[in-house]
Amino acid sequence: MYESYFAEAGERSRIPVDEVLRAHPKLSYDREREADDEAEAEYVKELLRRFAGYVRAESPEPFIWAEDGQSQISRHPIYQGSAYARAEFEELPSLSRSALRKHAEPFDYTAAETTVAYGDQTSGTSGAPLTVVYSPRFMAQSVHLTLIKVAIQAGIEGLGNRPVFGINVTDNPRLRDGVIMTDPLDLTGLRLIWHVDTGDPESLAAFTHILRDYEPEVISSKPNLYKILLDHWAETGQQAPCHPKFAVSGGAMLSDDLRARISAFFGCPAVSAYAVSETGHLGSECVRQKIHLDETLHERFELLPLLGEAEDTPEEIGELAVTSLSNACMPLVRYRLGDIARLSRDSCECGQPGPVLDELRGRTTIVFDLGEGVLLSPTRYMDLFKTNPELLEYQLTQVSSRSFRLRLELRSDVSPAEEREATCRRIRDAIAAGMPVSADIEWEECVFEQEGAKFARFRSEVTA
C-alpha cells in the first residue's frame, strides 16, 4: 500500500498555514481551491493506491478503446466527424497542437459536468501557447500527487515528516507573489511555489533564506533555473542552504553534467520528471534513471510516424503520443507531444513494469550568458503572448554576448504598417526591459513555418 512510503503519523511535523502567511503575507492562498481539493481527497488517494501497486509490478487493466471512450470524446467539437466513430483505436487520427490552435473552442468544458474549471497556458517553448483547462478532479491529483509519484518511482521513502514538503522555484511573472498550498491527503507538509527574479541579487538571497528557513523535502524547478541558482551560490561561496531528500527537474531535458551538479550540491538524488501542460505528469525516472510512463493516469502511450521526416528514419523512432481521458474538460486522443522518442515495453532492470522511454529527444531550454557572470533565463518572457495579443510567434537568438536578433510574427489583421512597426518595437522594448544588463536587439518581422518538434523559441549562436 502507499502508506509504506510515508513517515509514521507520530513522526510527522506540521506548521500552520497561517504562520507562514504571517511571515510572508504576499503569498497567495486559495481557500476555495483547498475546499475543491479536499472534496477529491478520497479519489486522489485511490489513484495513489493504484500507482503504488503499479510501481510494485501490479499491472493495470489493458487499455481497450470502447464505447465509453467514444461517448466521452463525442461531446467535444474537436472530435466530431466520422473518423472518431471508428471502433479500431489504431484507425483514429492523431491530434496535434496545430490542430487545436485552428479551433477557437476545441473542447466543450461543460461536458465535464462541473461548474468550476481551472485554466492555464502551455509554456510556449515549441510554439504559440495553448489555453488548457482542467477539471477540479484532474487539478487535485495533478497538484498533490505529482511529486509523490516522482518520489515513489525513484524509490524514495519516509516522506512527509517535515513541515514543508516541496518548494517549486519559478521565474514566471504571473507567480511573482508565490503560492502556498496544504495537503488534502494529510500525508505531507505544506507546498510553496516561490518566484525568483534571476537578475535580482536580493530575490536570489530571499529564496536562499526560504530554503534555509523551511528545509523542504523536495525542491523542483527547470534545468535553466537550477543552473542559474547553482552558479549564484558558487560565485557567492555559499554551501547548500537546505538538505532535501530529492530534487526534481522538469520542463526540459536534464543534462548529465547538471544532474551531477544538483546532486553533489544538495547531497541527494536529482530526478528528471516528464510532463506537459496539456496532460500534466507523464512519467519520471526510476533508480536506473529510466523514465517510466504513467499508465495509471493516462490510458495509452504510443509512437507515431514522424511528420515530414525522411523515409529512412528508423522504425523504432517516432513521435510520442498519449491518449489521456482523465481530464474531463480536455480529453486527448492520440495527442502528439512533439518529442521524438524510442519506447520499450520490456521489463526495466529496476523491476518496475513499462512503458519506458529508452530514449527521449526532448527540448532543451537554454540560459543566455551575457558575460561577466550575468545569466538570463529567457522563460521569463513567456508572458509576452498574454500582454501582446497581436503576437503570433517570436524567436530570440543570441548572436554575440550582448546582442540579439528578434524575429516576430504578428496577426494578419494588425494594420496599417505603422501600427505593425510600433507593435514590434513595443515587444522588442519589453524584452530589453527584462534583461539584467543593456543589450542590443535587432528585430525583423517574418512569417514562421508551421512549428514542429525541432522549433526553438530561444537560440544562441554564441559558442562556449
Side-chain angles (χ1 to χ4, degrees):
M1 299 296 285
Y2 69 82
E3 289 88 354
S4 63
Y5 292 97
F6 296 89
E8 297 293 333
E11 300 174 356
R12 298 173 187 171
S13 177
R14 296 290 182 262
I15 181 173
V17 67
D18 289 340
E19 182 177 325
V20 180
L21 287 173
R22 282 194 295 270
H24 306 283
K26 288 187 177 181
L27 285 172
S28 172
Y29 178 44
D30 191 335
R31 297 181 187 275
E32 291 185 6
R33 252 292 305 284
E34 184 179 66
D36 285 342
D37 290 350
E38 288 177 350
E40 300 293 347
E42 288 307 312
Y43 166 77
V44 175
K45 283 185 178 180
E46 178 54 36
L47 288 183
L48 184 54
R49 291 188 190 97
R50 192 187 311 170
F51 182 79
Y54 178 65
V55 169
R56 290 172 172 168
E58 298 174 12
S59 299
E61 292 294 322
F63 168 66
I64 299 175
W65 182 249
E67 290 184 4
D68 287 348
Q70 290 176 323
S71 174
Q72 180 180 352
I73 69 168
S74 66
R75 307 173 194 176
H76 299 276
I78 193 72
Y79 298 117
Q80 301 305 308
S82 59
Y84 288 101
R86 295 169 180 165
E88 296 298 325
F89 178 80
E90 287 74 13
E91 295 180 5
L92 298 176
S94 64
L95 182 62
S96 68
R97 290 182 175 94
S98 296
L100 294 186
R101 291 190 183 99
K102 292 176 182 176
H103 285 72
E105 293 291 340
F107 297 97
D108 179 1
Y109 306 126
T110 62
E113 298 179 355
T114 176
T115 57
V116 178
Y118 297 98
D120 199 359
Q121 280 190 327
T122 59
S123 63
T125 53
S126 63
L130 287 170
T131 298
V132 294
V133 178
Y134 311 115
S135 69
R137 171 163 286 190
F138 185 83
M139 190 70 170
Q141 66 81 26
S142 181
V143 168
H144 298 290
L145 281 194
T146 296
L147 289 177
I148 292 174
K149 284 184 172 183
V150 173
I152 291 175
Q153 192 79 69
I156 296 164
E157 300 182 343
L159 304 173
N161 62 358
R162 298 187 192 179
V164 173
F165 174 58
I167 295 181
N168 171 250
V169 56
T170 179
D171 60 351
N172 186 336
R174 285 181 289 164
L175 298 170
R176 188 173 298 279
D177 292 336
V179 179
I180 185 170
M181 294 173 286
T182 60
D183 178 16
L185 310 182
D186 195 28
L187 295 172
T188 65
L190 299 175
R191 300 165 196 233
L192 300 178
I193 299 175
W194 193 268
H195 177 269
V196 171
D197 183 344
T198 55
D200 181 1
E202 292 186 3
S203 179
L204 291 167
F207 177 62
T208 302
H209 283 296
I210 284 293
L211 293 180
R212 286 178 180 150
D213 290 345
Y214 292 119
E215 191 70 31
E217 289 186 295
V218 54
I219 298 172
S220 61
S221 194
K222 300 174 293 189
N224 59 340
L225 286 183
Y226 273 120
K227 179 182 182 336
I228 290 175
L229 290 169
L230 291 172
D231 286 351
H232 167 74
W233 287 320
E235 290 167 6
T236 53
Q238 298 185 63
Q239 301 296 314
C242 64
H243 301 85
K245 292 183 177 179
F246 63 114
V248 177
S249 176
M253 299 294 290
L254 177 64
S255 69
D256 291 340
D257 289 345
L258 184 56
R259 182 199 298 272
R261 285 188 67 190
I262 296 170
S263 183
F265 184 77
F266 288 111
C268 69
V271 184
S272 183
Y274 182 37
V276 296
S277 299
E278 301 95 301
T279 64
H281 178 72
L282 290 167
S284 60
E285 291 178 329
C286 67
V287 293
R288 300 286 185 177
Q289 294 183 2
K290 290 283 190 179
I291 292 181
H292 290 246
L293 299 173
D294 184 2
E295 285 192 333
T296 67
L297 176 62
H298 309 293
E299 277 68 21
R300 182 177 173 83
F301 293 91
E302 59 182 323
L303 291 186
L304 298 178
L306 301 180
L307 297 176
E309 290 291 321
E311 294 182 0
D312 59 355
T313 301
E315 185 176 347
E316 67 273 15
I317 296 290
E319 184 175 356
L320 188 63
V322 63
T323 293
S324 181
L325 308 179
S326 306
N327 180 9
C329 284
M330 198 169 168
L332 297 170
V333 178
R334 308 195 83 186
Y335 184 64
R336 290 179 176 268
L337 296 169
D339 290 324
I340 300 170
R342 188 192 307 267
L343 187 66
S344 172
R345 290 188 177 269
D346 296 333
S347 296
C348 177
E349 293 180 358
C350 73
Q352 298 176 22
V356 174
L357 288 179
D358 282 340
E359 182 181 355
L360 179 63
R361 303 178 191 175
R363 303 177 189 91
T364 59
T365 303
I366 67 172
V367 174
F368 291 134
D369 187 343
L370 305 182
E372 300 178 3
V374 180
L375 301 176
L376 171 67
S377 168
T379 50
R380 68 167 56 194
Y381 296 127
M382 292 307 185
D383 258 17
L384 282 175
F385 291 103
K386 206 165 194 178
T387 56
N388 298 276
E390 307 93 339
L391 180 62
L392 279 180
E393 186 53 273
Y394 73 99
Q395 186 177 66
L396 184 64
T397 301
Q398 185 181 27
V399 294
S400 66
S401 178
R402 297 187 181 180
S403 178
F404 291 82
R405 179 174 61 252
L406 174 63
R407 303 177 71 212
L408 297 157
E409 181 177 0
L410 303 184
R411 289 200 332 255
S412 60
D413 59 355
V414 178
S415 61
E418 293 80 5
E419 182 180 339
R420 298 184 72 86
E421 181 173 343
T423 299
C424 290
R425 291 188 181 279
R426 185 179 71 246
I427 296 169
R428 188 274 310 271
D429 292 345
I431 290 176
M435 292 192 176
V437 294
S438 61
D440 295 325
I441 304 176
E442 296 183 356
W443 65 270
E444 63 178 357
E445 192 175 347
C446 70
V447 175
F448 288 96
E449 296 180 2
Q450 183 172 333
E451 81 282 349
K454 296 180 181 178
F455 177 84
R457 175 165 295 123
F458 307 115
R459 302 171 59 251
S460 179
E461 296 175 355
V462 180
T463 56

